[in-house]
């Protein structure tokens, strides 16, 4: 069964801390997406990756294909980073993403 | 910038009503998606469309239908609304393929069925 698990479900950090959110999946994938959802509902695509590492500003996404695991890192966290972070996997030849249940991140000033 | 517009942010309907949720995108995207989002369950795909008049069932199509008569518009229809369809509904669009194209989301419609 195609499954995506995220951890932790909830994460509270102090401003400036380095943050890691984890995503593991059950079987081989062709792509993994990271998305951000702010209060009020709007969802923004952050990264799409199938191997290695991508970086955008203070955000870094990595993927380890052998271990079926991806991480999203936030350096020098800020209260504006508070949001729900969602990973989603495209399994094999599927044409639709399977989503994790999300990680609620709260960064305190 | 891609704009995906959902017709309502909040909607309240009664059980048994036929409910229409509309979504319009302005970037000529082939792919359009309807998801629902419930606490603890994440986003689940209801239907998606990869071209005009083309559609495929997602994970939870029961109780829903869709219509895509024009490329820019994708409608979700609740044939006879029930209380278990109270949820946040999100529309998205993208270019193909799903693997390496970002999905652009609307702001969502919070639907309550009384």
């Amino acid at each position: 069964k195609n499954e995506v698990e995220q951890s932790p479900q909830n994460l509270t950090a102090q401003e400036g801390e380095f943050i890691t959110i984890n995503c593991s999946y059950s079987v081989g994938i062709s792509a993994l997406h990271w998305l951000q959802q702010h209060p009020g509902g709007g969802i923004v695509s952050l990264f799409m990756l199938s191997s290695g590492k991508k970086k955008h500003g203070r955000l870094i996404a990595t993927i380890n294909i052998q271990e079926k695991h991806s991480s999203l890192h936030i350096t020098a966290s800020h209260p504006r980073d508070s949001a729900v972070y969602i990973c989603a996997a495209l399994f094999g030849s599927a044409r639709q993403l399977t989503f994790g249940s999300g990680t609620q991140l709260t960064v305190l000033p | 910038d891609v704009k995906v517009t959902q017709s309502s942010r909040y909607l309240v309907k009664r059980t048994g009503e036929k409910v229409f949720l509309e979504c319009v995108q302005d970037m000529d995207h082939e792919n359009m998606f309807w998801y629902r989002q419930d606490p603890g369950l994440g986003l689940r795909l209801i239907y998606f469309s990869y071209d005009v008049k083309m559609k495929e069932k997602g994970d939870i199509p029961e109780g829903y239908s869709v219509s895509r008569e024009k490329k820019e518009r994708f409608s979700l229809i609740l044939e006879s609304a029930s209380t278990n369809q109270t949820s946040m509904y999100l529309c998205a669009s993208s270019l193909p393929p799903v693997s390496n194209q970002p999905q652009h989301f609307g702001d969502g419609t919070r639907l309550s069925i009384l």
Side-chain angles (χ1 to χ4, degrees):
Chain A
K1 187 180 174 186
N2 298 338
E3 290 183 335
V4 177
E5 299 281 341
Q6 282 188 242
S7 63
Q9 281 191 319
N10 295 282
L11 181 57
T12 301
Q14 292 293 326
E15 184 173 356
E17 283 186 12
F18 180 84
I19 287 163
T20 296
I21 298 170
N22 297 299
C23 177
S24 59
Y25 47 90
S26 53
V27 295
I29 63 169
S30 52
L32 189 122
H33 293 230
W34 281 101
L35 307 104
Q36 179 191 56
Q37 184 173 28
H38 276 285
I43 295 177
V44 175
S45 179
L46 297 175
F47 295 105
M48 295 161 293
L49 63 168
S50 55
S51 64
K53 176 179 171 178
K54 287 192 176 180
K55 184 176 190 292
H56 182 69
R58 294 180 295 105
L59 300 178
I60 303 165
T62 64
I63 189 166
N64 185 317
I65 298 297
Q66 287 74 27
E67 294 188 3
K68 298 186 181 60
H69 181 269
S70 176
S71 292
L72 178 68
H73 305 286
I74 305 174
T75 61
S77 60
H78 190 276
R80 66 174 173 267
D81 297 325
S82 297
V84 176
Y85 292 85
I86 301 167
C87 72
L90 189 67
F91 288 99
S93 59
R95 298 214 288 175
Q96 62 188 64
L97 294 171
T98 300
F99 292 80
S101 56
T103 294
Q104 172 70 62
L105 171 65
T106 304
V107 181
L108 302 174
Chain B
D1 258 4
V2 176
K3 184 73 175 171
V4 179
T5 303
Q6 294 185 228
S7 51
S8 306
R9 287 301 306 273
Y10 300 93
L11 204 54
V12 180
K13 296 290 182 181
R14 297 211 172 269
T15 54
E17 281 193 65
K18 191 168 186 175
V19 181
F20 293 85
L21 301 183
E22 305 286 346
C23 176
V24 176
Q25 51 97 1
D26 65 359
M27 280 302 290
D28 206 34
H29 285 171
E30 282 82 0
N31 293 338
M32 294 189 76
F33 310 83
W34 274 108
Y35 297 97
R36 64 177 281 178
Q37 185 178 32
D38 300 289
L41 296 178
L43 277 80
R44 293 179 292 167
L45 182 67
I46 305 171
Y47 270 97
F48 85 95
S49 169
Y50 49 91
D51 205 345
V52 175
K53 297 190 188 293
M54 307 303 287
K55 61 186 180 186
E56 280 192 21
K57 293 180 180 179
D59 298 318
I60 49 165
E62 297 78 19
Y64 303 95
S65 62
V66 289
S67 172
R68 191 152 179 217
E69 296 296 317
K70 293 185 178 181
K71 194 173 186 179
E72 67 270 19
R73 186 180 296 271
F74 191 35
S75 303
L76 179 70
I77 304 149
L78 285 66
E79 297 290 344
S80 177
S82 63
T83 54
N84 63 12
Q85 291 177 310
T86 291
S87 187
M88 169 73 100
Y89 290 86
L90 289 146
C91 174
S93 73
S94 79
L95 291 167
V98 173
S99 57
N100 64 9
Q101 294 294 332
Q103 293 191 18
H104 300 267
F105 286 80
D107 289 334
T109 296
R110 193 166 291 281
L111 175 64
S112 296
I113 307 295
L114 305 178

PDB file of all heavy atoms in Angstrom, chain B residues 33-45:
ATOM      1  N   PHE B  33      -7.305  19.495 -10.239  1.00  0.00           N
ATOM      2  CA  PHE B  33      -7.523  18.533  -9.164  1.00  0.00           C
ATOM      3  C   PHE B  33      -8.538  19.075  -8.161  1.00  0.00           C
ATOM      4  O   PHE B  33      -8.570  20.277  -7.892  1.00  0.00           O
ATOM      5  CB  PHE B  33      -6.220  18.274  -8.387  1.00  0.00           C
ATOM      6  CG  PHE B  33      -5.027  17.943  -9.240  1.00  0.00           C
ATOM      7  CD1 PHE B  33      -4.278  18.947  -9.829  1.00  0.00           C
ATOM      8  CD2 PHE B  33      -4.649  16.628  -9.433  1.00  0.00           C
ATOM      9  CE1 PHE B  33      -3.175  18.653 -10.614  1.00  0.00           C
ATOM     10  CE2 PHE B  33      -3.548  16.316 -10.210  1.00  0.00           C
ATOM     11  CZ  PHE B  33      -2.806  17.330 -10.797  1.00  0.00           C
ATOM     12  N   TRP B  34      -9.321  18.178  -7.584  1.00  0.00           N
ATOM     13  CA  TRP B  34     -10.138  18.498  -6.418  1.00  0.00           C
ATOM     14  C   TRP B  34      -9.722  17.594  -5.270  1.00  0.00           C
ATOM     15  O   TRP B  34      -9.709  16.370  -5.399  1.00  0.00           O
ATOM     16  CB  TRP B  34     -11.630  18.311  -6.686  1.00  0.00           C
ATOM     17  CG  TRP B  34     -12.279  19.502  -7.289  1.00  0.00           C
ATOM     18  CD1 TRP B  34     -12.731  19.665  -8.555  1.00  0.00           C
ATOM     19  CD2 TRP B  34     -12.587  20.741  -6.609  1.00  0.00           C
ATOM     20  NE1 TRP B  34     -13.280  20.907  -8.727  1.00  0.00           N
ATOM     21  CE2 TRP B  34     -13.206  21.590  -7.555  1.00  0.00           C
ATOM     22  CE3 TRP B  34     -12.402  21.211  -5.310  1.00  0.00           C
ATOM     23  CZ2 TRP B  34     -13.637  22.876  -7.236  1.00  0.00           C
ATOM     24  CZ3 TRP B  34     -12.820  22.492  -4.990  1.00  0.00           C
ATOM     25  CH2 TRP B  34     -13.438  23.313  -5.948  1.00  0.00           C
ATOM     26  N   TYR B  35      -9.391  18.241  -4.136  1.00  0.00           N
ATOM     27  CA  TYR B  35      -9.018  17.532  -2.916  1.00  0.00           C
ATOM     28  C   TYR B  35      -9.988  17.923  -1.803  1.00  0.00           C
ATOM     29  O   TYR B  35     -10.556  19.009  -1.809  1.00  0.00           O
ATOM     30  CB  TYR B  35      -7.620  17.938  -2.445  1.00  0.00           C
ATOM     31  CG  TYR B  35      -6.489  17.626  -3.376  1.00  0.00           C
ATOM     32  CD1 TYR B  35      -5.980  18.596  -4.246  1.00  0.00           C
ATOM     33  CD2 TYR B  35      -5.884  16.373  -3.365  1.00  0.00           C
ATOM     34  CE1 TYR B  35      -4.908  18.308  -5.083  1.00  0.00           C
ATOM     35  CE2 TYR B  35      -4.820  16.085  -4.205  1.00  0.00           C
ATOM     36  CZ  TYR B  35      -4.336  17.062  -5.060  1.00  0.00           C
ATOM     37  OH  TYR B  35      -3.270  16.777  -5.876  1.00  0.00           O
ATOM     38  N   ARG B  36     -10.080  17.034  -0.806  1.00  0.00           N
ATOM     39  CA  ARG B  36     -10.658  17.465   0.459  1.00  0.00           C
ATOM     40  C   ARG B  36      -9.619  17.245   1.554  1.00  0.00           C
ATOM     41  O   ARG B  36      -8.762  16.337   1.447  1.00  0.00           O
ATOM     42  CB  ARG B  36     -11.980  16.771   0.789  1.00  0.00           C
ATOM     43  CG  ARG B  36     -11.952  15.293   1.001  1.00  0.00           C
ATOM     44  CD  ARG B  36     -13.333  14.761   1.394  1.00  0.00           C
ATOM     45  NE  ARG B  36     -13.654  14.986   2.798  1.00  0.00           N
ATOM     46  CZ  ARG B  36     -14.810  14.649   3.370  1.00  0.00           C
ATOM     47  NH1 ARG B  36     -15.771  14.066   2.654  1.00  0.00           N
ATOM     48  NH2 ARG B  36     -15.033  14.883   4.651  1.00  0.00           N
ATOM     49  N   GLN B  37      -9.690  18.117   2.557  1.00  0.00           N
ATOM     50  CA  GLN B  37      -8.713  18.080   3.630  1.00  0.00           C
ATOM     51  C   GLN B  37      -9.440  17.997   4.959  1.00  0.00           C
ATOM     52  O   GLN B  37     -10.247  18.865   5.295  1.00  0.00           O
ATOM     53  CB  GLN B  37      -7.828  19.328   3.593  1.00  0.00           C
ATOM     54  CG  GLN B  37      -6.702  19.321   4.609  1.00  0.00           C
ATOM     55  CD  GLN B  37      -5.831  20.548   4.515  1.00  0.00           C
ATOM     56  OE1 GLN B  37      -6.288  21.632   4.182  1.00  0.00           O
ATOM     57  NE2 GLN B  37      -4.545  20.386   4.801  1.00  0.00           N
ATOM     58  N   ASP B  38      -9.141  16.957   5.707  1.00  0.00           N
ATOM     59  CA  ASP B  38      -9.753  16.740   7.011  1.00  0.00           C
ATOM     60  C   ASP B  38      -8.664  16.565   8.052  1.00  0.00           C
ATOM     61  O   ASP B  38      -7.601  15.988   7.755  1.00  0.00           O
ATOM     62  CB  ASP B  38     -10.651  15.491   6.969  1.00  0.00           C
ATOM     63  CG  ASP B  38     -11.761  15.623   5.951  1.00  0.00           C
ATOM     64  OD1 ASP B  38     -12.684  16.415   6.208  1.00  0.00           O
ATOM     65  OD2 ASP B  38     -11.703  14.956   4.896  1.00  0.00           O
ATOM     66  N   PRO B  39      -8.903  17.028   9.279  1.00  0.00           N
ATOM     67  CA  PRO B  39      -7.873  16.945  10.332  1.00  0.00           C
ATOM     68  C   PRO B  39      -7.357  15.518  10.504  1.00  0.00           C
ATOM     69  O   PRO B  39      -8.136  14.564  10.607  1.00  0.00           O
ATOM     70  CB  PRO B  39      -8.620  17.422  11.583  1.00  0.00           C
ATOM     71  CG  PRO B  39      -9.707  18.291  11.069  1.00  0.00           C
ATOM     72  CD  PRO B  39     -10.127  17.681   9.758  1.00  0.00           C
ATOM     73  N   GLY B  40      -6.039  15.384  10.523  1.00  0.00           N
ATOM     74  CA  GLY B  40      -5.415  14.081  10.742  1.00  0.00           C
ATOM     75  C   GLY B  40      -5.350  13.183   9.521  1.00  0.00           C
ATOM     76  O   GLY B  40      -4.686  12.151   9.547  1.00  0.00           O
ATOM     77  N   LEU B  41      -6.047  13.556   8.451  1.00  0.00           N
ATOM     78  CA  LEU B  41      -6.077  12.700   7.258  1.00  0.00           C
ATOM     79  C   LEU B  41      -5.304  13.287   6.086  1.00  0.00           C
ATOM     80  O   LEU B  41      -5.068  12.604   5.095  1.00  0.00           O
ATOM     81  CB  LEU B  41      -7.526  12.463   6.818  1.00  0.00           C
ATOM     82  CG  LEU B  41      -8.397  11.696   7.799  1.00  0.00           C
ATOM     83  CD1 LEU B  41      -9.818  11.577   7.271  1.00  0.00           C
ATOM     84  CD2 LEU B  41      -7.817  10.302   8.067  1.00  0.00           C
ATOM     85  N   GLY B  42      -4.918  14.524   6.173  1.00  0.00           N
ATOM     86  CA  GLY B  42      -4.205  15.121   5.049  1.00  0.00           C
ATOM     87  C   GLY B  42      -5.107  15.379   3.861  1.00  0.00           C
ATOM     88  O   GLY B  42      -6.335  15.243   3.931  1.00  0.00           O
ATOM     89  N   LEU B  43      -4.508  15.725   2.757  1.00  0.00           N
ATOM     90  CA  LEU B  43      -5.263  15.960   1.526  1.00  0.00           C
ATOM     91  C   LEU B  43      -5.552  14.629   0.848  1.00  0.00           C
ATOM     92  O   LEU B  43      -4.668  13.778   0.711  1.00  0.00           O
ATOM     93  CB  LEU B  43      -4.474  16.835   0.549  1.00  0.00           C
ATOM     94  CG  LEU B  43      -4.540  18.340   0.747  1.00  0.00           C
ATOM     95  CD1 LEU B  43      -3.594  18.767   1.856  1.00  0.00           C
ATOM     96  CD2 LEU B  43      -4.203  19.058  -0.546  1.00  0.00           C
ATOM     97  N   ARG B  44      -6.774  14.467   0.426  1.00  0.00           N
ATOM     98  CA  ARG B  44      -7.158  13.269  -0.313  1.00  0.00           C
ATOM     99  C   ARG B  44      -7.784  13.691  -1.635  1.00  0.00           C
ATOM    100  O   ARG B  44      -8.635  14.586  -1.670  1.00  0.00           O
ATOM    101  CB  ARG B  44      -8.130  12.421   0.505  1.00  0.00           C
ATOM    102  CG  ARG B  44      -7.504  11.798   1.758  1.00  0.00           C
ATOM    103  CD  ARG B  44      -8.520  10.987   2.540  1.00  0.00           C
ATOM    104  NE  ARG B  44      -9.543  11.847   3.131  1.00  0.00           N
ATOM    105  CZ  ARG B  44     -10.683  11.403   3.643  1.00  0.00           C
ATOM    106  NH1 ARG B  44     -10.976  10.116   3.601  1.00  0.00           N
ATOM    107  NH2 ARG B  44     -11.552  12.250   4.190  1.00  0.00           N
ATOM    108  N   LEU B  45      -7.372  13.009  -2.694  1.00  0.00           N
ATOM    109  CA  LEU B  45      -7.818  13.363  -4.027  1.00  0.00           C
ATOM    110  C   LEU B  45      -9.215  12.805  -4.290  1.00  0.00           C
ATOM    111  O   LEU B  45      -9.457  11.604  -4.116  1.00  0.00           O
ATOM    112  CB  LEU B  45      -6.838  12.832  -5.063  1.00  0.00           C
ATOM    113  CG  LEU B  45      -7.145  13.173  -6.511  1.00  0.00           C
ATOM    114  CD1 LEU B  45      -6.998  14.668  -6.765  1.00  0.00           C
ATOM    115  CD2 LEU B  45      -6.217  12.388  -7.438  1.00  0.00           C
TER     116      LEU B  45
END
